[in-house]
Amino acid sequence: IVTNTVQTNEEKSMVDKTEYFFTQAESMGELDQRTYDNLQILLGALKILGIEGGAQSFTPRLAALRQKLAS
């Protein structure tokens, strides 16, 4: 049984949902640790599912949010 096979339409939906969560986090006045951790987990899940390109596209945004978390 292949469990990490993602169809093209599912991949787009997952990337769109990830975009939504990042946009929400970026619009927060103050970012909390839990939100940041959840975004890291979300990117890890994309990688596990084989959506490397999608995960990599969010990496700079995650780094920017980490800066926001530190300040």
Side-chain angles (χ1 to χ4, degrees):
I1 298 175
V2 179
T3 58
N4 66 342
T5 302
V6 178
Q7 303 297 323
T8 304
N9 62 335
E10 294 171 323
E11 181 177 334
K12 181 179 179 346
S13 175
M14 290 179 189
V15 171
D16 288 346
K17 288 177 183 177
T18 302
E19 171 67 32
Y20 171 79
F21 288 118
F22 267 85
T23 301
Q24 291 295 104
E26 290 165 342
S27 68
M28 293 175 73
E30 287 187 33
L31 182 68
D32 59 23
Q33 185 67 48
R34 181 179 176 158
T35 300
Y36 178 79
D37 292 344
N38 286 341
L39 292 172
Q40 280 188 304
I41 292 166
L42 187 55
L43 292 190
L46 289 177
K47 289 178 185 177
I48 289 169
L49 292 170
I51 308 173
E52 287 285 333
Q56 287 178 354
S57 71
F58 291 104
T59 301
R61 291 172 73 180
L62 186 64
L65 285 170
R66 187 161 100 185
Q67 292 289 327
K68 186 177 180 180
L69 183 64
S71 48

